[in-house]
Amino acid sequence: MAFCENCGNKLEQNSKFCDSCGNVVANYSDVANENYNVSPVKETYTQPGYIAKSSSEKSFTKSKQFKLLIASIVAVVLVIAAAVAFMVFYLPSQTSHTVLIPKASALKSAPLQKTVDDLRKQGVKVIIVKEFSSVKRGGFVRFTNVRPGQRVQSSSHVTVIESKGPGIPKKGVVGQPLEKAKKIAESMGVPVETYNIISTNTGKVIATDPMPGFSVSSGSSDDGVIRIAVGVKDKGIPADLFGMDKDEAVNKLRDLGLKDVSLHPHFSSEKNLGKIISSKPALGTKFSGGHVDLYYGVDASETKNVLTENDPSDKTIMYVTNASPVIGTWCTNDGDCIELQKHDYPKDDPDYMFLQLPTDPKYPDDSHFYEYLTFGNGAHQMGGMIFYKDNDKNKDSQMKNHLIVGDTGAFELYRGMGLPYCGETANDNIGNMCVNGKWVDAFEPPEDIKQYGSPDKIPGYWKDSSFRMRDFFLVVPVHANLNKIESSGYFEGKGNKKPDTTRPFILRRNPKLYSKTTVDAEPYKGAIEDNPFVPTVKHKAVPFKPAPDDSVAYYLVEKPFDWSKLPERD
């Protein structure tokens, strides 16, 4: 027997509608089957109008509810999937677009920076990585993750390889067989020469020029050639001394029968402190006997000791006279280099050493010695910059505002000792004075000037004279206290990336970063202490620009080998 689910009245067999309320009977055919096949059960009333269902009817209802639950879950999953698909595929299309990577021909003809700027303007995140190659420095080498002419989403990351020009990679050349090393060198598109070098490690590449990690422009000559040296056995100064402890190196030479050996300090990288960095005769060359000079690495703790000498009569006084520990090649990561060479004064019997650049003019005599690079402007003797071991005395020293007097371990080098210009000419004698834009000997002036007696009465005295911003370098040996220098206000601005302090480096002042590079010297009568561009007894120099940064630091290029002394291989 069946009952209407709406009103509870008895349904006739095979009824499609309830006779009492007219409700449609669901699955009436199933109801008919139930009426004929299911055994009758006792009906139990719990409240008026409610009829308890049989166990089979309850089972049917639970099964139906379970199916509805599964259907609901499936529907929710489908909705979530659709939402995710919408977010992944539809939304980006509303905020992103495709960008065309330039074709190879355009990459070669246009400046790389313009290509990078154009891609960045379209939203592409561009990373620049520099490496040595045969392409001109600053040129495009390749992409690492896209192809020229390819289209990418504007939100893509693209890595561009920029050329540092020809050079020797840090790894993969030294220690390798010649043919493997030569193949890498030849890929740089410059001539490659091979040499023999005396070594205990024969048959492998012992040395390269330039050194690993440096460009061809930092090599031993400016001929644009890469040189590779292969170890051979012979009698001489072993190339293996490079990087060896200085005392061990001395003993090594003595074991080889070379007894006359002396040691000399030179600023070096952290890895070579206390170790041999070069020699005379040169490392790896033939040598049968005589005196040998070994140069070993020192850091900022030795700055005062290695650059100065004591006054013979007063041990508290020091003269800054020795530039030897700074001599060498210093290069930026991009291959821009400074070559510091020695300049002895006087030339015939030198007592002092200055520094000069290869581009400096060559004067016929010693009259322009102060036009070279010096450590200061307080000359107690010609070329000897003076300060005291006792810092209390330095408060009145001419050098008191120079870094070398302090305890940071850094020091300055600059051109012209801070002397003024007269007209367009630098001072060619410390005893000169400027009169109407021309230099005049102050000790033996011509009669038309001598007649005025007092210099202050001379018409045009120091007229048309000026202090000018000239070459100025800050030398920072390993372990110098750069933080202390920065906190003192020495620099203007802040760098983006700290220089590598495990290598000595030089910062070069850039006049292009200043709005004022010339000051009238007439009001000061040309007195050095009033030159604002150098440290003087009165003041520090104008704040240094640029600030310390890895991109502008000139790092020392350690060159242990003299390639002019090495024989070429057959």
Side-chain angles (χ1 to χ4, degrees), residues 210-211 214 218-219 328-331 337 503-504 555-560:
M211 292 285 283
F214 290 91
S218 67
T329 303
W330 305 69
C331 296
C337 298
R503 299 156 63 193
Y555 295 102
L556 176 66
V557 182
E558 290 168 317
K559 297 182 179 181

Side-chain angles (χ1 to χ4, degrees), residues 427-466:
N427 199 340
D428 63 0
N429 193 316
I430 288 180
N432 282 351
M433 60 181 174
C434 184
V435 179
N436 291 314
K438 294 183 178 181
W439 290 114
V440 175
D441 190 329
F443 299 110
E444 297 182 6
E447 289 298 325
D448 61 331
I449 290 178
K450 186 186 296 185
Q451 64 177 330
Y452 292 101
S454 172
D456 290 336
K457 295 180 181 180
I458 301 173
Y461 184 58
W462 284 103
K463 184 181 180 181
D464 197 20
S465 64
S466 60

Side-chain angles (χ1 to χ4, degrees), residues 129-252:
V129 177
K130 298 180 181 181
E131 68 178 41
F132 296 118
S133 78
S134 59
V135 178
K136 184 179 179 181
R137 182 159 67 99
F140 170 79
V141 179
R142 67 181 184 279
F143 294 111
T144 62
N145 57 342
V146 296
R147 300 184 307 277
Q150 178 183 350
R151 280 198 171 273
V152 299
Q153 288 294 323
S154 62
S155 57
S156 299
H157 285 76
V158 173
T159 300
V160 178
I161 303 300
E162 177 184 336
S163 178
K164 295 198 294 184
I168 296 293
K170 284 186 177 181
K171 297 180 180 179
V173 178
V174 172
Q176 299 298 322
L178 174 60
E179 290 308 312
K180 182 177 181 180
K182 193 174 180 181
K183 185 176 181 180
I184 295 174
E186 288 175 340
S187 72
M188 297 297 158
V190 296
V192 178
E193 298 174 353
T194 58
Y195 294 78
N196 289 333
I197 191 167
I198 296 173
S199 170
T200 58
N201 187 12
T202 60
K204 296 292 180 70
V205 173
I206 304 300
T208 63
D209 180 41
M211 292 285 283
F214 290 91
S215 66
V216 169
S217 61
S218 67
S220 61
S221 63
D222 59 359
D223 56 5
V225 173
I226 288 179
R227 297 172 176 83
I228 299 175
V230 179
V232 296
K233 279 190 176 182
D234 209 334
K235 187 174 183 179
I237 312 293
D240 313 74
L241 295 185
F242 175 58
M244 185 180 293
D245 176 81
K246 60 185 177 65
D247 296 325
E248 182 182 351
V250 171
N251 292 332
K252 176 75 172 177

Side-chain angles (χ1 to χ4, degrees), residues 39 49 84 265 280 330 397 403 411-412 479 490 515 517 526:
S39 302
V84 171
K280 288 184 179 179
W330 305 69
S397 166
L403 287 177
F411 55 95
E412 295 106 340
H479 299 151
Y490 190 90
S515 60
T517 57

Side-chain angles (χ1 to χ4, degrees), residues 78-135:
L78 290 174
V79 170
I80 293 173
V84 171
F86 178 85
M87 295 173 66
V88 172
F89 297 105
Y90 180 76
L91 285 183
S93 67
Q94 306 304 304
T95 59
S96 181
H97 59 278
T98 60
V99 175
L100 178 65
I101 300 297
K103 295 182 178 180
S105 58
L107 290 166
K108 291 179 181 179
S109 60
L112 178 60
Q113 191 58 51
K114 183 180 184 303
T115 299
V116 171
D117 291 342
D118 288 345
L119 290 173
R120 285 174 174 168
K121 286 177 182 177
Q122 298 179 76
V124 178
K125 298 174 179 63
V126 181
I127 300 171
I128 299 176
V129 177
K130 298 180 181 181
E131 68 178 41
F132 296 118
S133 78
S134 59
V135 178

Side-chain angles (χ1 to χ4, degrees), residues 350-366:
D351 293 322
Y352 307 101
M353 186 186 297
F354 298 90
L355 290 166
Q356 66 183 61
L357 303 179
T359 54
D360 287 348
K362 303 297 187 287
Y363 299 105
D365 51 39
D366 287 331

